[in-house]
Amino acid sequence: KAAQEAENRGFQAGYDKGLAEAERAIREQYAGMIAEAQDVLQQAHSLKRQIIREAEPFLVELSIAVAEKIVDRQLTVTREWIVDMVRKLLSRTQGHRTITLCVSPKQFELVQNAREELIHAVDSQAELVIVPDAGVKDQGCIIRTAFGSIDGRIDTQLKELKNALLQIAAQNEGLSSENENS
């Protein structure tokens, strides 16, 4: 009986030792798998940020191209919008004696026909001169006064928007790079 008990104790001790070693090995393996999964997740996040950074300039270009088409289509369909835009720009010229409104040769007749409406947007003492200008290729305008010009060309406004968006994207990329290096 004593031999049987000694054998059982030996068996139990071996079993407990084997169980402890197996648990330790599984914990180590599990910890390794968790670390590997975290590393893969971190790489995926980095890759996602990189893809977004690389896609931003393309998306800005695409957005501006779509905006150009929409604006051009809207201006073609709704000609009153052009006159309304010019009127709003002219309202920023208060206090000037002579205001020269340069418009696309294609839009000259339309704007000239709206002259009476546009005169109400400027100072009552101001002289409004409307001239066709080949430098204005779209439905926008350039307003010239003795103190400077207001560029109301649609393509110029879209270029400014594009540059601002690209600048923001570049700043965000700089911030992302700093955050990744921290």
Side-chain angles (χ1 to χ4, degrees), residues 7-76:
E7 185 181 330
N8 286 344
R9 276 186 293 208
F11 177 80
Q12 189 62 43
Y15 177 81
D16 291 344
K17 183 179 178 186
L19 182 63
E21 284 181 24
E23 284 178 350
R24 184 189 52 76
I26 289 173
R27 278 192 201 105
E28 286 176 6
Q29 185 179 11
Y30 181 72
M33 290 169 56
I34 292 290
E36 186 178 332
Q38 288 174 335
D39 187 46
V40 168
L41 186 60
Q42 180 62 36
Q43 289 175 10
H45 283 296
S46 293
L47 183 59
K48 178 185 96 173
R49 286 190 296 272
Q50 178 184 350
I51 289 169
I52 290 171
R53 274 195 312 267
E54 290 173 0
E56 279 179 334
F58 169 75
L59 293 174
V60 168
E61 293 282 344
L62 180 62
S63 298
I64 295 300
V66 168
E68 285 174 345
K69 297 222 181 267
I70 291 169
V71 168
D72 187 55
R73 178 75 176 147
Q74 185 63 33
L75 291 173
T76 302

Side-chain angles (χ1 to χ4, degrees), residues 71-148:
V71 168
D72 187 55
R73 178 75 176 147
Q74 185 63 33
L75 291 173
T76 302
V77 172
T78 313
R79 297 196 175 278
E80 302 81 40
W81 194 77
I82 299 164
V83 174
D84 187 48
M85 181 186 69
V86 171
R87 186 173 11 84
K88 286 178 184 172
L89 289 170
L90 283 171
S91 69
R92 295 166 46 188
T93 63
Q94 297 299 322
H96 298 286
R97 298 300 249 168
T98 303
I99 301 166
T100 304
L101 177 60
C102 304
V103 297
S104 164
K106 293 178 186 175
Q107 301 300 318
F108 177 71
E109 185 179 347
L110 172 70
V111 175
Q112 186 66 32
N113 290 340
R115 179 182 180 75
E116 289 303 315
E117 180 183 344
L118 296 174
I119 286 175
H120 295 294
V122 298
D123 192 331
S124 62
Q125 303 296 318
E127 176 188 359
L128 178 62
V129 178
I130 303 172
V131 296
D133 184 338
V136 181
K137 299 195 184 316
D138 60 17
Q139 291 87 346
C141 66
I142 298 175
I143 299 172
R144 298 192 196 318
T145 68
F147 296 106

Side-chain angles (χ1 to χ4, degrees), residues 146-157:
F147 296 106
S149 299
I150 298 172
D151 190 340
R153 294 178 291 185
I154 303 299
D155 63 334
T156 302
Q157 293 175 22

